[in-house]
Amino acid sequence: TETGQCNLTLTGHFGWVTALCVVGDGRVASGSEDKTIKIWNTETGQCNLTLTGHSRGVYALCVLGDGRMASGSEDKTIKIWNTETGQCDQTLTGHSWGITALCVVVGIGHVASGSRDWNIKIWNTETGQCELTLTGHSHSVRSLYVVGESRLVSRDYDGSVFEWDLSTGMGSKVSNDVSSLFAAVSFQHVPPSLPPPCFDGVICTSVSVSSIMFVCSVERKVLIAKCLSSRSLP
């Protein structure tokens, strides 16, 4: 686990790989600027499904835990997919700019989305309705983390960190220093904030499962390597 050796390289996207999430059962999903999402078998390296429907690049993915996955795109929509059939079950609309972050609100079974419109929305994935809009950021929302059942922490591209009470919709600015993000709340099972999509060939984002780390790069590939740090997800 200390070698950093690349075990597998998954190729097939025609645009930069800009989002990843672990689907389960040895599968990982990748989103790309080619407007598609691919679900890969990490044992064989084969692409099992290609999901199409977004009209612009896909920049955020998250698994809902019931065989469904959410994707967020620069086309301003969030789509809910069946990861077994590849069917799009719902399209959520309401943001005025592209989607840049997604996470599952475990306590209520909803999805939170962050956008370049500076807003965060909480969605009921059964009805497709937006139940809450959180305002306060003055830049694009870069990342979202849920803490417990009713708290959400967000960070924007300016580095400002906000903490939100989802039971009231009220939020407060924690700090402009990202290091305060880890002092403010407990992140025992959440990876550090990741750099934004970049244009110089370095890592865009990463997720991990067990002792494997999935790294996506701007070279249109998904790289699978042994974890190098204990900071990755268990």
Side-chain angles (χ1 to χ4, degrees):
T1 60
E2 298 297 329
T3 66
Q5 177 182 356
C6 179
N7 295 337
L8 196 61
T9 300
L10 312 179
T11 59
H13 280 295
F14 294 97
W16 294 346
V17 180
T18 46
L20 287 174
C21 72
V22 174
V23 179
D25 299 324
R27 297 178 300 159
V28 63
S30 58
S32 170
E33 284 202 334
D34 66 12
K35 310 174 190 176
T36 71
I37 301 155
K38 291 183 179 292
I39 297 181
W40 308 84
N41 183 315
T42 59
E43 296 297 327
T44 66
Q46 297 298 309
C47 175
N48 294 340
L49 283 173
T50 298
L51 314 181
T52 60
H54 282 296
S55 61
R56 299 190 68 180
V58 178
Y59 285 92
L61 295 171
C62 73
V63 170
L64 306 185
D66 54 0
R68 298 184 302 159
M69 175 179 65
S71 62
S73 169
E74 186 64 18
D75 66 11
K76 309 175 189 176
T77 71
I78 299 152
K79 290 184 179 292
I80 308 298
W81 306 87
N82 182 312
T83 60
E84 297 299 328
T85 66
Q87 177 182 346
C88 178
D89 293 335
Q90 278 188 329
T91 298
L92 314 180
T93 60
H95 281 292
S96 57
W97 287 89
I99 313 302
T100 49
L102 289 173
C103 74
V104 177
V105 184
V106 179
I108 55 177
H110 290 8
V111 167
S113 61
S115 169
R116 292 202 299 118
D117 64 12
W118 305 355
N119 295 327
I120 300 163
K121 291 182 179 290
I122 309 298
W123 303 87
N124 182 320
T125 59
E126 297 299 328
T127 65
Q129 298 300 307
C130 174
E131 298 191 346
L132 191 62
T133 298
L134 310 177
T135 61
H137 282 288
S138 56
H139 292 80
S140 301
V141 178
R142 171 176 175 175
S143 50
L144 297 170
Y145 303 120
V146 170
V147 183
E149 295 187 356
S150 62
R151 285 198 299 161
L152 178 74
V153 175
S154 59
R155 184 190 178 199
D156 62 31
Y157 276 78
D158 185 44
S160 298
V161 178
F162 281 72
E163 184 174 356
W164 308 88
D165 184 337
L166 298 182
S167 64
T168 64
M170 302 299 293
S172 60
K173 188 173 182 178
V174 176
S175 175
N176 279 328
D177 181 4
V178 70
S179 64
S180 299
L181 177 64
F182 302 99
V185 292
S186 173
F187 282 94
Q188 297 175 349
H189 299 288
V190 177
S193 183
L194 300 162
C198 48
F199 303 92
D200 56 2
V202 301
I203 292 172
C204 291
T205 187
S206 65
V207 294
S208 66
V209 60
S210 185
S211 62
I212 304 298
M213 177 173 63
F214 303 91
V215 177
C216 69
S217 75
V218 298
E219 298 176 343
R220 306 181 184 180
K221 301 176 181 178
V222 179
L223 309 179
I224 301 180
K226 291 292 184 181
C227 288
L228 298 179
S229 170
S230 60
R231 292 163 64 190
S232 59
L233 285 171

